[in-house]
Amino acid sequence: MRTKPYVLLLSVLLAGLCLGPAPSAHAAENGEWAVYPAAARLGSRPYFFLTADPGATLTDRVTVANKTAAPLTFRLYGADAYNTDRDGGFAVRTQREEQTGAGAWIKPAQSRITVPPGKAVTVPYTLTVPADADPGDHPGALVALDERISPGGKGSVAVGVQRAVAARLYLRVSGPTVPALAVEDVTLDQDRPLVPGTRAGSAVVSYTLHNRGNVTLDPKVALRAEGLFGRTLLDRDLAKVPSELLPRQKIRLTERWTGSPQLDWGDVTLTATAKDVRETGTVSFLAVPWAAATTLLVGAAAGLFGLRIRRRRAARTAPDPH
């Protein structure tokens, strides 16, 4: 009997593993269990905000609440946080991935717990900052991974899904903070009609937003396009920018420009600002209706060629003056 290949997927929730803006102030949960810093009541302290010197050891407690009618068993572990490539959302490393920052420094007193139905279990943990840790922000999370594997998927490959919920942890290591931001690799992909005027033109502006510093930034990005003689073609603030760009992270973002010119020459400039930092990235563009231009060139070339042929014929048939 042949068995189907088996793939294990992990779904993590920080109120969802991947989040764009920071969630509202309530405990991370998925309806079945919640993970939050130990406090007087559920959700009154939604995240861990910690400050430490290099070489220091902090102690705190995390609570896992079971909202179901059956006992649940979890793996507890620390994880590094990062920005997703897809939209810059806040995400955390899985247990199988290498942890190099806060995730490696977090040590729960128990790595495996069973929470009775309708109850909550609080577990102490330590966070030991290496003596040579870089100053600045080191975001991470405390993750409660459900050990159950839920079947899913159809076809020739069987899929098993594990779910997890994580409480965000914002750690700042004492020392100089250096906010730095860059706008890199700006490109413009144009989509113009073959025949000018038959439909509106559009373009997609792509760029990389890079946090080159050691603190989390809340960047704002403005898009401006200028045509010939400095005419303003577009000027707007962009909405699809993550509210948390973590240190040393870079994300690739796109913005559609509907109504881009079909005949013009100019520049597109992106200006990013955050914490008294201002950086720009620019790309030049040439908007030409190539199909129409090619037709005109071919027509002009054909006309010149025909004129040349007619002149040659006229020269041959002209009477000899001698």
Side-chain angles (χ1 to χ4, degrees), residues 3 10 72-74 78 84 105 127 164 174 187 189 199 201 210 231:
T3 59
L10 174 64
L72 295 177
T73 299
F74 301 99
T84 63
W105 308 339
L127 191 157
S174 302
T187 62
D189 294 322
R199 64 174 174 84
H210 187 184
R231 293 178 301 111

Side-chain angles (χ1 to χ4, degrees), residues 43-280:
S44 63
R45 184 187 171 206
Y47 318 128
F48 294 99
F49 293 98
L50 306 174
T51 301
D53 295 326
T57 296
L58 306 178
T59 60
D60 209 325
R61 298 183 302 158
V62 62
T63 298
V64 181
N66 181 359
K67 296 188 171 185
T68 72
L72 295 177
T73 299
F74 301 99
R75 286 282 179 184
L76 286 180
Y77 68 93
D80 294 338
Y82 65 98
N83 289 105
T84 63
D85 294 331
R86 178 171 56 88
D87 58 5
F90 189 104
V92 299
R93 306 290 178 195
T94 67
Q95 189 178 20
R96 295 176 180 271
E97 294 180 276
E98 181 183 8
Q99 314 292 343
T100 59
W105 308 339
I106 296 169
K107 301 298 180 186
Q110 298 171 256
S111 60
R112 185 175 184 272
I113 60 170
T114 297
V115 184
K119 301 294 184 180
V121 172
T122 295
V123 178
Y125 71 89
T126 59
L127 191 157
T128 301
V129 181
D132 60 351
D134 293 332
D137 294 339
H138 296 267
L142 273 151
V143 184
L145 172 67
D146 187 356
E147 291 196 323
R148 296 173 300 175
I149 299 177
S150 303
K154 297 180 180 180
S156 60
V157 178
V159 178
V161 177
Q162 278 188 299
R163 294 184 300 158
V165 176
R168 297 188 186 200
L169 183 146
Y170 294 93
L171 169 68
R172 172 160 292 187
V173 176
S174 302
T177 56
V178 183
L181 187 63
V183 181
E184 303 169 343
D185 303 324
V186 182
T187 62
L188 181 72
D189 294 322
Q190 302 180 73
D191 179 18
R192 298 184 301 274
L194 293 176
V195 180
T198 57
R199 64 174 174 84
S202 67
V204 174
V205 181
S206 302
Y207 64 101
T208 297
L209 206 55
H210 187 184
N211 184 346
R212 303 170 65 92
N214 64 355
V215 292
T216 300
L217 299 177
D218 177 12
K220 310 298 181 186
V221 180
L223 172 62
R224 182 179 177 86
E226 294 184 347
L228 279 172
F229 312 114
R231 293 178 301 111
T232 299
L233 305 175
L234 179 68
D235 190 0
R236 68 169 180 243
D237 295 331
L238 304 188
K240 295 186 293 184
V241 180
S243 61
E244 290 182 297
L245 185 57
L246 305 180
R248 297 167 291 279
Q249 294 288 302
K250 60 172 62 178
I251 56 175
R252 189 73 176 166
L253 300 172
T254 61
E255 184 73 17
R256 180 166 291 280
W257 175 13
T258 302
S260 60
Q262 300 180 27
L263 180 60
D264 213 328
W265 183 21
D267 298 304
V268 171
T269 301
L270 289 149
T271 302
T273 56
K275 287 189 177 181
D276 300 324
V277 177
R278 179 186 176 92
E279 296 293 336
T280 61

